[in-house]
Amino acid sequence: MYTLDIILPHIDHSKRLLPYPQARFSVLAYDTRKIRLGTDCLFFALVQQRDGHRYILDAYQKGVRSFVISDPDFDTRDYPDANFLWVNDTMRALQQLAAYHRSRFSIPVVGITGSNGKTIVKSWLHQLLSPEYKCYQSPKSYNSQLGVALSLWNLTAEHDLAIIEAGVSKIGEMDFLQQMIRPTFGIFTSLGTAHREGFNSKEEKFAEKWKLFAGVSPVIVPSSAIPEAYSSSSNCITWGGRPEDQLQFLGSSQDKDHTVLQLRYEKESFVIAAPFVDKASIDNVLTCILVMLTMGYAVDTIEQRVVLLRPLEMRLQLKKGKYNNSIIDDTYSNDFASLQIALDFLGQQNQSDVKKLILSDFEGEEWTTKTIDKFAQLLNVQSLSQVILVGERMEMLRSKLQMPSLLFKSTDELLNALADLGLKNCVLLLKGARKFELERVGRLLVEQSHDTILEINLKAIENNLSQYRSCLSKGVRMMAMVKAFSYGSGSFEVANVLQFNKLDYLTVAFVDEGAELRRAGISIPIMVLSPHEGTFEDILLYDLEPEIYSIRILRSFIAFLETRGITSYPVHLKLDTGMHRLGFMPDEIGPAVDIIRTSQRIKIVTAFSHLVGAGSRELGTFSTQQIQLFKQMVSQIELSIGYSVMKHICNTSGIVYHPEAHMDMVRLGIGLYGFDMAPNALNLEEVGTLKTTITQIKKIPKTETVGYDRKGVLQRDSIIATVKIGYADGYDRRLGNGIGEMSINGNIVTTVGNICMDMCMLDVTDIEAREGDEVLVFPDLNQAARNIGTIPYELLTGISSRVKRVYFYE
Ligand SMILES: *Cc1c(COP(=O)(O)O)cnc(C)c1O
């Protein structure tokens, strides 16, 4: 807890209005949706994609009374009892505060940066060092300008070592992170290719990242990552294959799931077995080993601990449970900050009002009254129906909880009782420290997945959304297309994220898709593209808004509303400006409007049309004509009905190519899922990743053939891998016989022979591959679509429903 007057000297500000300078706060708030106890918060009006000043009223209503703002003209008269601090840049102010908090601790602070492996190395070190240290680690991959500040804020006097991750994507960013973290020990994990992270060259990227280590010694780094110009840096302790590296990698041998590393440190040679076989994991292990050696650990100790590392899922996952429930599995680590994140995610789920939590004891937390109170307070402000605690020490927490709770001394005890706990029809968060292995509970509650899964990255949806939002002028609304199972990505799981991110509208193709979302608790407006007579009942029942596209459907919907005595029902009028699919033709506008005006049964909320070639340069003139015609048709409508309606015509490509036609709203479809026909226009992330596994590997002589009809003719003696995905999963048969490419351990391989219903075969002759290896099915979905003469839309929506979706939120 700080009071305002204590922090004032540490934040550069130009003006202040402090009726209550003694106001106390412990939470740095910047997103009103996440505020639970407003009186505890200091709110920063960050100016990002959305201007935080617009949410001050909301924060105030949630009890916040202290604000840091940057708008010099902000009118504070409505908030006479609130504190205001004016700064030049609210993000910098938040960082200054985090830096001040950090400066109060004189403990070792390990700063980690690099292209890949930051989060893994951080978590592994936390595990490797925890017997000696009460170690704080920044939660998840909180490594951005905001993430680092929030991470540091959670540092407390109980910790005696901190591991903080820093990530940058452009020049100039690292200085700010460095000033906050001020590491005393550095780790540089790896250097990837330049263009993927937004830098012009490897040197430029390295130089930016290296700024984290200004004045820091030592810095652990793979020598292969250091560009020429830096090779003489005296603060480096390197690992690599060269004799001059402090930790020299001499060679290795592999069995099924271990790699035995032959190493030399100082003058001594030794071997360490790492429980991994892939290169990325081995690199990360080498970094960890060198960190421990540098800290003075004995080889024996390192060896004993490294062998216990696991390639565990570190991301928070959302899965469908067996008993009409949703399971949020976040069982890799447990500390205050990551619990907070997981509870926020739980709060976003609307599919059931019943929310439960299974919570194990924490790592690296001393069990003082203060800590217990902090955790109890966090839990008591959530709306949880039940909390199930695991671990002996948790009794003390239990006594302070206000909701029904149970306690089990161990995970085994919990597993024995699991069947009787009634964990049905709810959303259940499993949050536990690694050693409690709560994932065992998850396994019993979740339907077992078959080896092919579609991973959905919900955070990528948020990223893509904000990319497109940044293309819109103020006041332009956005509709998200969630038809066809959200282009294959899921229903309420995706809709919950969109609702949480304050989308104005969701759009489905059919009424039953809309009904499913409503039953899952989605409450924002939903438009239905293709309603028909048989579904009018459900439209009303589920509060859906139909697209009205013809005189016939207009008449029948009005007749239906008459039987119910309903007036002014919201609908959307579809106008045909050239697509010639659904919609009123120009000559039908007059008669349609007459019917609408005389009946008074419906209210036109929006009028819209669809561009046939929004992303095409050749069709530019045609698009302009469509836009023109659309505007004429809508003015005719507005003139005769006597009120104005919202207008929209742009889909994803339209948003990028026709900014002049954004009008009142845009309809974002495929771009939300990470695909855009406009190359490199925006920084999109693919949302779905289709993965399968190798079931069997065989050596086949070149005289043989592979698969049905002997189509898989071999040119040489070959090694063939069979994977568990076929056309029934949505892997198109046209991808057979060398057309389809998949990726195994980073290497591209091609299909051999015809695609079967549930399987297909790959040529792995030239690469290292083992049974059980993971296979990325579409390393380049755009390319795959082009190769078989289709578009990404078809491949995405074609991934069959039997392929299990697993949702991540990082
Ligand atoms: C599907 C659809 C969209 C979205 O199109 P994208 O190309 O995926 O952005 C927009 N409007 C209508 C009417 C649609 O049917």
Side-chain angles (χ1 to χ4, degrees):
M1 277 272 180
Y2 284 100
T3 59
L4 270 183
D5 49 3
I6 287 187
I7 60 146
L8 279 182
H10 306 285
I11 296 184
D12 297 329
H13 56 283
S14 52
K15 193 169 104 181
R16 60 203 197 205
L17 198 66
L18 303 178
Y20 301 101
Q22 299 299 322
R24 294 157 73 82
F25 66 93
S26 60
V27 177
L28 305 185
Y30 60 95
D31 182 341
T32 55
R33 298 168 303 186
K34 294 181 179 167
I35 292 176
R36 294 280 184 280
L37 199 62
T39 47
D40 259 5
C41 296
L42 174 61
F43 184 84
F44 287 79
L46 299 184
V47 182
Q48 298 178 305
Q49 248 92 31
R50 302 202 146 201
D51 182 354
H53 293 86
R54 287 167 52 199
Y55 300 97
I56 287 175
L57 176 60
D58 191 23
Y60 183 84
Q61 285 167 345
K62 288 186 161 165
V64 180
R65 289 296 178 271
S66 298
F67 298 88
V68 178
I69 64 173
S70 59
D71 178 358
D73 302 322
F74 187 81
D75 187 353
T76 59
R77 275 173 304 181
D78 292 339
Y79 312 96
D81 59 343
N83 297 308
F84 284 91
L85 200 60
W86 277 265
V87 299
N88 191 23
D89 180 329
T90 43
M91 177 68 85
R92 298 292 164 245
L94 194 153
Q95 293 180 336
Q96 284 177 346
L97 185 52
Y100 165 62
H101 182 71
R102 148 77 182 92
S103 73
R104 298 183 49 224
F105 303 97
S106 49
I107 55 171
V109 173
V110 180
I112 303 189
T113 194
S115 298
N116 299 305
K118 296 186 284 291
T119 309
I120 305 245
V121 167
K122 178 186 68 185
S123 302
W124 282 353
L125 278 178
H126 183 269
Q127 176 179 345
L128 293 166
L129 305 178
S130 63
E132 285 76 31
Y133 292 94
K134 287 191 208 66
C135 190
Y136 174 74
Q137 59 173 332
S138 46
K140 303 277 165 196
S141 47
Y142 268 39
N143 62 25
S144 64
Q145 297 288 314
L146 179 60
V148 168
L150 298 175
S151 298
L152 290 168
W153 187 249
N154 282 311
L155 201 56
T156 71
E158 276 121 52
H159 301 113
D160 52 18
L161 177 82
I163 312 179
I164 307 290
E165 186 183 328
V168 289
S169 54
K170 50 178 190 285
I171 298 276
E173 288 184 338
M174 190 57 98
D175 282 336
F176 297 112
L177 303 185
Q178 189 275 335
Q179 283 157 26
M180 280 190 281
I181 302 173
R182 268 172 293 132
T184 58
F185 190 111
I187 299 176
F188 191 97
T189 55
S190 67
L191 190 67
T193 45
H195 65 275
R196 276 207 42 216
E197 292 177 85
F199 292 94
N200 290 318
S201 68
K202 273 194 158 184
E203 286 71 23
E204 183 182 286
K205 183 161 74 165
F206 183 86
E208 179 64 24
K209 291 181 193 271
W210 200 256
K211 286 184 185 160
L212 178 61
F213 307 126
V216 177
S217 185
V219 183
I220 307 299
V221 54
S223 52
S224 59
I226 309 175
E228 278 297 311
Y230 286 80
S231 54
S232 59
S233 295
S234 60
N235 57 346
C236 295
I237 297 190
T238 62
W239 64 263
R242 313 169 314 170
E244 55 275 35
D245 289 318
Q246 273 86 347
L247 177 66
Q248 189 185 0
F249 174 71
L250 302 169
S252 67
S253 59
Q254 282 190 356
D255 65 13
K256 190 167 165 296
D257 44 20
H258 280 75
T259 305
V260 177
L261 304 165
Q262 285 126 37
L263 304 170
R264 180 203 50 77
Y265 179 68
E266 293 178 337
K267 296 216 161 58
E268 215 180 314
S269 297
F270 51 90
V271 294
I272 286 186
F276 307 99
V277 291
D278 64 294
K279 179 164 186 320
S281 297
I282 296 299
D283 285 358
N284 293 332
V285 167
L286 286 167
T287 297
C288 290
I289 292 174
L290 184 52
V291 171
M292 292 182 82
L293 287 167
T294 309
M295 290 175 78
Y297 279 89
V299 171
D300 285 355
T301 314
I302 298 175
E303 190 181 1
Q304 284 158 19
R305 292 186 190 171
V306 161
V307 81
L308 297 176
L309 294 175
R310 288 288 170 269
L312 271 182
E313 183 53 68
M314 299 200 300
R315 301 171 295 184
L316 178 155
Q317 306 175 64
L318 170 66
K319 296 172 177 169
K320 194 162 171 278
K322 278 184 196 162
Y323 309 107
N324 190 32
N325 47 11
S326 296
I327 313 292
I328 302 172
D329 190 341
D330 191 14
T331 50
Y332 187 76
S333 65
N334 196 12
D335 50 54
F336 188 78
S338 72
L339 175 62
Q340 227 170 358
I341 296 169
L343 286 168
D344 281 343
F345 187 71
L346 177 67
Q348 281 181 41
Q349 305 302 314
N350 298 294
Q351 56 271 35
S352 167
D353 291 336
V354 183
K355 310 240 163 97
K356 298 187 176 182
L357 166 67
I358 296 184
L359 179 69
S360 85
D361 202 342
F362 303 88
E363 275 164 336
E365 292 283 354
E366 198 149 5
W367 222 212
T368 61
T369 322
K370 222 168 108 192
T371 323
I372 298 169
D373 283 345
K374 187 169 82 166
F375 280 101
Q377 198 187 29
L378 175 65
L379 295 179
N380 284 333
V381 295
Q382 317 288 327
S383 20
L384 293 167
S385 311
Q386 187 185 34
V387 174
I388 297 166
L389 300 163
V390 185
E392 309 224 353
R393 290 197 314 178
M394 300 297 264
E395 186 56 49
M396 287 158 77
L397 176 60
R398 189 177 172 213
S399 63
K400 300 197 171 169
L401 295 182
Q402 288 157 6
M403 70 293 282
S405 61
L406 290 172
L407 179 89
F408 294 93
K409 291 214 167 64
S410 67
T411 305
D412 283 326
E413 248 183 50
L414 167 64
L415 285 169
N416 287 335
L418 200 62
D420 305 322
L421 293 180
L423 299 171
K424 299 183 174 129
N425 311 315
C426 65
V427 189
L428 173 66
L429 168 61
L430 286 174
K431 181 69 190 155
R434 187 180 23 76
K435 67 170 185 234
F436 284 88
E437 300 182 335
L438 285 190
E439 66 273 12
R440 287 159 61 204
V441 179
R443 257 178 256 140
L444 290 181
L445 295 173
V446 170
E447 287 170 21
Q448 279 317 301
S449 64
H450 118 267
D451 292 325
T452 300
I453 59 165
L454 180 61
E455 287 185 4
I456 308 290
N457 179 351
L458 297 174
K459 197 81 184 194
I461 291 188
E462 288 187 338
N463 167 67
N464 297 341
L465 187 58
S466 68
Q467 291 287 315
Y468 284 98
R469 272 186 166 149
S470 68
C471 302
L472 304 181
S473 322
K474 224 174 161 164
V476 177
R477 289 166 211 244
M478 194 185 269
M479 183 179 250
M481 311 308 278
V482 294
K483 60 191 183 191
F485 200 52
S486 299
Y487 290 49
S489 312
S491 69
F492 65 80
E493 299 89 349
V494 173
N496 273 334
V497 173
L498 298 171
Q499 172 162 310
F500 184 72
N501 283 280
K502 303 261 191 290
L503 260 285
D504 299 289
Y505 262 94
L506 297 180
T507 299
V508 294
F510 300 106
V511 168
D512 52 359
E513 294 176 324
E516 186 184 342
L517 295 183
R518 284 283 184 255
R519 283 195 298 266
I522 299 299
S523 56
I524 58 178
I526 298 178
M527 175 169 97
V528 181
L529 291 173
S530 305
H532 64 85
E533 281 82 351
T535 58
F536 290 164
E537 290 280 356
D538 279 354
I539 286 186
L540 247 51
L541 183 62
Y542 291 105
D543 191 17
L544 306 173
E545 302 180 10
E547 164 187 322
I548 300 294
Y549 52 85
S550 71
I551 300 275
R552 181 180 54 76
I553 194 95
L554 175 65
R555 285 219 164 91
S556 58
F557 192 56
I558 286 177
F560 171 78
L561 293 173
E562 265 162 12
T563 66
R564 299 300 158 101
I566 292 171
T567 54
S568 299
Y569 195 88
V571 304
H572 304 266
L573 229 49
K574 177 71 168 290
L575 310 180
D576 188 346
T577 56
M579 180 82 176
H580 302 327
R581 188 168 62 178
L582 298 182
F584 292 97
M585 299 293 283
D587 62 345
E588 292 175 309
I589 296 293
V593 171
D594 284 343
I595 299 172
I596 294 167
R597 220 182 24 213
T598 47
S599 94
Q600 301 287 322
R601 293 288 165 189
I602 62 175
K603 162 129 174 80
I604 307 171
V605 198
T606 83
F608 71 108
S609 189
H610 197 44
L611 297 172
V612 305
S616 149
R617 219 174 275 282
E618 294 105 85
L619 295 176
T621 321
F622 190 78
S623 294
T624 311
Q625 284 165 8
Q626 278 194 284
I627 294 164
Q628 226 24 64
L629 178 58
F630 175 64
K631 285 183 177 162
Q632 281 165 19
M633 288 166 82
V634 185
S635 349
Q636 190 189 342
I637 294 169
E638 289 179 330
L639 206 64
S640 43
I641 57 172
Y643 55 85
S644 66
V645 301
M646 278 196 277
K647 300 168 252 314
H648 46 112
I649 196 165
C650 285
N651 64 345
T652 299
S653 305
I655 296 173
V656 177
Y657 286 109
H658 293 282
E660 78 287 359
H662 288 173
M663 303 184 198
D664 300 307
M665 182 149 73
V666 294
R667 301 187 302 269
L668 180 61
I670 195 143
L672 189 57
Y673 308 100
F675 293 92
D676 191 343
M677 303 302 123
N680 303 329
L682 295 168
N683 203 352
L684 301 180
E685 287 175 46
E686 279 183 35
V687 166
T689 309
L690 184 59
K691 290 180 171 174
T692 186
T693 43
I694 299 181
T695 313
Q696 194 174 21
I697 292 189
K698 307 193 153 124
K699 288 188 178 147
I700 310 289
K702 70 173 169 198
T703 49
E704 295 287 305
T705 61
V706 175
Y708 282 119
D709 296 326
R710 307 206 69 188
K711 289 289 184 205
V713 179
L714 302 177
Q715 310 297 332
R716 55 178 177 173
D717 293 346
S718 302
I719 304 175
I720 300 297
T722 302
V723 294
K724 279 194 191 164
I725 186 166
Y727 56 78
D729 299 294
Y731 195 68
D732 198 296
R733 229 178 136 265
R734 288 170 289 180
L735 290 163
N737 298 303
I739 308 287
E741 296 185 332
M742 299 194 194
S743 164
I744 302 173
N745 303 324
N747 301 301
I748 298 292
V749 295
T750 55
T751 56
V752 186
N754 286 331
I755 308 295
C756 311
M757 187 184 290
D758 311 309
M759 283 174 269
C760 65
M761 281 69 90
L762 303 170
D763 180 351
V764 297
T765 315
D766 298 322
I767 69 159
E768 262 183 61
R770 295 155 209 263
E771 293 180 359
D773 275 2
E774 185 176 272
V775 182
L776 200 57
V777 178
F778 290 121
D780 185 344
L781 188 88
N782 273 311
Q783 186 58 47
R786 274 196 298 276
N787 288 348
I788 59 168
T790 183
I791 49 178
Y793 297 75
E794 185 181 345
L795 292 185
L796 284 176
T797 55
I799 299 171
S800 87
S801 59
R802 84 171 185 193
V803 174
K804 200 148 136 191
R805 271 70 174 168
V806 179
Y807 300 85
F808 294 100
Y809 191 85
E810 329 195 57

Short mmCIF file of all heavy atoms in Angstrom, two decimals, residues 481 483 487 529 547 574 581 608 610 650-653 667-671 793, ligand 1:
data_model
loop_
_atom_site.label_atom_id
_atom_site.label_comp_id
_atom_site.label_asym_id
_atom_site.label_seq_id
_atom_site.Cartn_x
_atom_site.Cartn_y
_atom_site.Cartn_z
N MET A 481 -17.59 -10.89 -37.45
CA MET A 481 -18.27 -12.02 -38.08
C MET A 481 -17.85 -13.30 -37.35
O MET A 481 -16.68 -13.67 -37.38
CB MET A 481 -17.90 -12.12 -39.55
CG MET A 481 -18.01 -10.79 -40.32
SD MET A 481 -19.58 -9.94 -40.14
CE MET A 481 -20.58 -10.80 -41.34
N LYS A 483 -19.69 -16.13 -37.90
CA LYS A 483 -20.41 -17.19 -38.63
C LYS A 483 -19.48 -18.38 -38.86
O LYS A 483 -18.26 -18.25 -38.73
CB LYS A 483 -20.92 -16.63 -39.95
CG LYS A 483 -19.81 -16.13 -40.86
CD LYS A 483 -20.35 -15.35 -42.04
CE LYS A 483 -19.21 -14.95 -42.95
NZ LYS A 483 -19.63 -13.97 -43.96
N TYR A 487 -15.31 -18.89 -38.28
CA TYR A 487 -14.35 -19.30 -39.31
C TYR A 487 -13.55 -20.52 -38.83
O TYR A 487 -12.35 -20.64 -39.07
CB TYR A 487 -13.39 -18.16 -39.66
CG TYR A 487 -14.02 -16.99 -40.42
CD1 TYR A 487 -15.19 -16.40 -39.96
CD2 TYR A 487 -13.44 -16.48 -41.57
CE1 TYR A 487 -15.77 -15.33 -40.64
CE2 TYR A 487 -14.01 -15.40 -42.25
CZ TYR A 487 -15.17 -14.84 -41.78
OH TYR A 487 -15.74 -13.78 -42.45
N LEU A 529 -27.60 -13.43 -40.58
CA LEU A 529 -27.56 -13.13 -42.01
C LEU A 529 -28.67 -13.82 -42.81
O LEU A 529 -29.20 -13.25 -43.74
CB LEU A 529 -26.20 -13.53 -42.59
CG LEU A 529 -25.00 -12.70 -42.14
CD1 LEU A 529 -23.71 -13.32 -42.65
CD2 LEU A 529 -25.12 -11.26 -42.63
N GLU A 547 -31.34 -10.14 -40.65
CA GLU A 547 -31.13 -9.41 -41.90
C GLU A 547 -32.39 -9.61 -42.72
O GLU A 547 -32.84 -10.74 -42.91
CB GLU A 547 -29.92 -10.02 -42.63
CG GLU A 547 -29.83 -9.61 -44.09
CD GLU A 547 -28.73 -10.35 -44.86
OE1 GLU A 547 -27.65 -10.59 -44.30
OE2 GLU A 547 -28.97 -10.71 -46.03
N LYS A 574 -30.62 -5.51 -46.03
CA LYS A 574 -29.50 -5.84 -46.91
C LYS A 574 -29.81 -5.35 -48.32
O LYS A 574 -30.86 -5.66 -48.88
CB LYS A 574 -29.31 -7.37 -46.92
CG LYS A 574 -28.23 -7.87 -47.86
CD LYS A 574 -26.84 -7.51 -47.35
CE LYS A 574 -25.75 -8.24 -48.10
NZ LYS A 574 -25.71 -9.67 -47.80
N ARG A 581 -26.50 -11.71 -54.53
CA ARG A 581 -26.70 -12.88 -53.68
C ARG A 581 -28.00 -12.61 -52.96
O ARG A 581 -29.06 -12.71 -53.54
CB ARG A 581 -25.49 -13.00 -52.73
CG ARG A 581 -25.42 -14.24 -51.92
CD ARG A 581 -24.04 -14.41 -51.24
NE ARG A 581 -23.73 -13.33 -50.30
CZ ARG A 581 -22.61 -13.29 -49.56
NH1 ARG A 581 -21.71 -14.27 -49.67
NH2 ARG A 581 -22.38 -12.31 -48.73
N PHE A 608 -27.13 -2.22 -45.02
CA PHE A 608 -25.77 -2.58 -45.44
C PHE A 608 -25.74 -3.28 -46.79
O PHE A 608 -26.77 -3.72 -47.31
CB PHE A 608 -25.09 -3.43 -44.37
CG PHE A 608 -25.62 -4.83 -44.21
CD1 PHE A 608 -24.88 -5.93 -44.64
CD2 PHE A 608 -26.85 -5.06 -43.60
CE1 PHE A 608 -25.34 -7.23 -44.47
CE2 PHE A 608 -27.33 -6.36 -43.43
CZ PHE A 608 -26.58 -7.43 -43.86
N HIS A 610 -22.60 -5.41 -49.57
CA HIS A 610 -21.37 -6.18 -49.52
C HIS A 610 -20.58 -5.94 -50.81
O HIS A 610 -21.15 -6.01 -51.89
CB HIS A 610 -21.72 -7.66 -49.37
CG HIS A 610 -20.58 -8.51 -48.90
ND1 HIS A 610 -19.73 -8.15 -47.88
CD2 HIS A 610 -20.17 -9.74 -49.30
CE1 HIS A 610 -18.84 -9.11 -47.68
NE2 HIS A 610 -19.09 -10.08 -48.54
N CYS A 650 -18.10 -2.29 -45.56
CA CYS A 650 -16.74 -2.84 -45.63
C CYS A 650 -16.58 -4.16 -44.87
O CYS A 650 -16.91 -4.25 -43.70
CB CYS A 650 -15.73 -1.84 -45.05
SG CYS A 650 -15.41 -0.48 -46.15
N ASN A 651 -16.01 -5.15 -45.54
CA ASN A 651 -15.54 -6.35 -44.87
C ASN A 651 -14.05 -6.13 -44.55
O ASN A 651 -13.55 -5.01 -44.63
CB ASN A 651 -15.76 -7.58 -45.76
CG ASN A 651 -14.94 -7.51 -47.04
OD1 ASN A 651 -14.43 -6.45 -47.39
ND2 ASN A 651 -14.79 -8.62 -47.72
N THR A 652 -13.33 -7.20 -44.22
CA THR A 652 -11.92 -7.05 -43.84
C THR A 652 -11.11 -6.27 -44.88
O THR A 652 -10.46 -5.28 -44.55
CB THR A 652 -11.27 -8.44 -43.65
OG1 THR A 652 -11.97 -9.12 -42.62
CG2 THR A 652 -9.81 -8.32 -43.27
N SER A 653 -11.18 -6.71 -46.13
CA SER A 653 -10.38 -6.02 -47.15
C SER A 653 -10.86 -4.59 -47.34
O SER A 653 -10.07 -3.69 -47.60
CB SER A 653 -10.48 -6.75 -48.49
OG SER A 653 -10.12 -8.08 -48.34
N ARG A 667 -17.46 -4.49 -40.97
CA ARG A 667 -17.72 -5.89 -40.59
C ARG A 667 -16.43 -6.68 -40.74
O ARG A 667 -16.02 -7.05 -41.84
CB ARG A 667 -18.80 -6.48 -41.50
CG ARG A 667 -20.11 -5.74 -41.43
CD ARG A 667 -21.21 -6.46 -42.20
NE ARG A 667 -20.89 -6.68 -43.60
CZ ARG A 667 -21.19 -5.84 -44.59
NH1 ARG A 667 -21.84 -4.71 -44.34
NH2 ARG A 667 -20.86 -6.14 -45.82
N LEU A 668 -15.81 -6.96 -39.61
CA LEU A 668 -14.51 -7.63 -39.64
C LEU A 668 -14.72 -9.14 -39.64
O LEU A 668 -15.36 -9.69 -38.75
CB LEU A 668 -13.70 -7.21 -38.41
CG LEU A 668 -12.31 -7.81 -38.28
CD1 LEU A 668 -11.42 -7.43 -39.45
CD2 LEU A 668 -11.67 -7.36 -36.97
N GLY A 669 -14.16 -9.80 -40.63
CA GLY A 669 -14.28 -11.26 -40.74
C GLY A 669 -12.93 -11.92 -40.64
O GLY A 669 -12.29 -11.97 -39.58
N ILE A 670 -12.41 -12.34 -41.78
CA ILE A 670 -11.21 -13.18 -41.78
C ILE A 670 -9.99 -12.51 -41.13
O ILE A 670 -9.15 -13.20 -40.56
CB ILE A 670 -10.89 -13.63 -43.23
CG1 ILE A 670 -9.90 -14.79 -43.20
CG2 ILE A 670 -10.37 -12.46 -44.08
CD1 ILE A 670 -10.11 -15.82 -44.23
N GLY A 671 -9.95 -11.19 -41.17
CA GLY A 671 -8.81 -10.49 -40.56
C GLY A 671 -8.72 -10.75 -39.08
O GLY A 671 -7.63 -10.81 -38.49
N TYR A 793 -10.21 -19.00 -46.46
CA TYR A 793 -11.54 -19.16 -45.85
C TYR A 793 -12.00 -20.62 -45.89
O TYR A 793 -12.52 -21.15 -44.93
CB TYR A 793 -12.60 -18.36 -46.62
CG TYR A 793 -12.45 -16.86 -46.66
CD1 TYR A 793 -11.49 -16.26 -47.48
CD2 TYR A 793 -13.30 -16.03 -45.94
CE1 TYR A 793 -11.39 -14.88 -47.56
CE2 TYR A 793 -13.20 -14.65 -46.02
CZ TYR A 793 -12.23 -14.08 -46.83
OH TYR A 793 -12.12 -12.72 -46.92
C1 LIG B 1 -18.67 -13.03 -44.19
C2 LIG B 1 -19.09 -11.66 -44.41
C3 LIG B 1 -18.24 -10.58 -44.10
C4 LIG B 1 -16.81 -10.74 -43.66
O1 LIG B 1 -15.99 -10.94 -44.78
P1 LIG B 1 -14.38 -11.07 -44.61
O2 LIG B 1 -13.88 -11.07 -45.99
O3 LIG B 1 -14.16 -12.37 -43.92
O4 LIG B 1 -13.96 -9.93 -43.81
C5 LIG B 1 -18.76 -9.31 -44.21
N1 LIG B 1 -20.03 -9.11 -44.61
C6 LIG B 1 -20.86 -10.11 -44.93
C7 LIG B 1 -22.25 -9.80 -45.38
C8 LIG B 1 -20.43 -11.43 -44.86
O5 LIG B 1 -21.24 -12.41 -45.19
#
